[in-house]
Amino acid sequence: MSSVVATRMDADQTNAAFVFRSSVKLGMLESVIVLLFALVSRMLDGVPELALEAVLLLIGLVAVTALPGLWTRARTIEGIAGAAGIGLGATVVFTLIDAILFQHLHLYGHRWLDVGGGSNWWYLPVWWMAGTLIPWLGAWMLANQADKSGTTSVPTLMITSLVLAIVVAVVAVVAGFPGAAWGIGTFGVAFLPGLALATLISVLGARRT
């Protein structure tokens, strides 16, 4: 009985100080990845650009999807909500770094400006929403894994989500969905529905907590 109680006390770490510290760590990591991605898009072209951007995107997706849920040791709605809170806090940290540093360095190129109609600020509401949703779904999947098997597996989480994202991207391109094309951009957008589908699949067989 004592071991069970200890395990439960060790899970769902969501006190305010912990969430704040974790938000700062994740926000700093996001900022570094965005900085590297922007530099690659400015300095390279062709296959080298595509390859490095794909690696950076994958690292970013793993970090934002899995780290918050791992940090909170999400097992119930408490830990899942805490992971979403870390994700939201991280987007605030990035927004501050972006406003103080990146914007003044004119980090984003003309392609980025063109997407936003000439503005560098268009993406922030999208960033806030996606940066909260993705950790929430990732933590939910980790909690479902722990409920069913007693352990969590980031590789399983990511492989399932990435495969489904590829399926969604291919369907979108083949079906002629507006804006869909063979590239990193379409895959990045497709990761959201892919992750949502993976989360729904992970619910099967898990208890409601």
Side-chain angles (χ1 to χ4, degrees), residues 15 18 43 46 53 65 69-70 76 81 84 86 91 96 101 113 117-118 129 132 136 141 152-153 165 184 203 205:
N15 69 78
F18 176 80
M43 299 172 63
E53 287 180 347
T65 304
L70 291 175
T76 69
I86 291 173
T91 66
L96 293 175
L101 183 62
L113 286 171
M129 290 185 287
T132 306
W136 177 61
M141 286 188 67
T152 59
S153 172
I184 290 179
V203 171

Side-chain angles (χ1 to χ4, degrees), residues 112-206:
W112 198 249
L113 286 171
D114 291 341
V115 172
S119 171
N120 270 331
W121 297 100
W122 64 273
Y123 58 88
L124 289 176
V126 177
W127 186 275
W128 300 331
M129 290 185 287
T132 306
L133 176 64
I134 292 174
W136 177 61
L137 293 174
W140 194 357
M141 286 188 67
L142 291 172
N144 288 335
Q145 289 177 352
D147 182 64
K148 288 187 286 187
S149 66
T151 60
T152 59
S153 172
V154 173
T156 299
L157 184 161
M158 292 306 304
I159 291 172
T160 305
S161 302
L162 291 171
V163 169
L164 290 172
I166 292 172
V167 172
V168 171
V170 170
V171 170
V173 174
V174 172
F177 191 84
W182 301 110
I184 290 179
T186 296
F187 173 76
V189 174
F191 182 77
L192 283 170
L195 178 60
L197 290 172
T199 305
L200 288 175
I201 292 173
S202 75
V203 171
L204 301 176

Side-chain angles (χ1 to χ4, degrees), residues 54-77:
V55 170
L56 289 170
L57 177 61
L58 181 60
I59 293 172
L61 290 176
V62 172
V64 176
T65 304
L67 286 181
L70 291 175
W71 288 341
T72 63
R73 290 181 54 82
R75 296 297 182 269
T76 69
I77 191 64

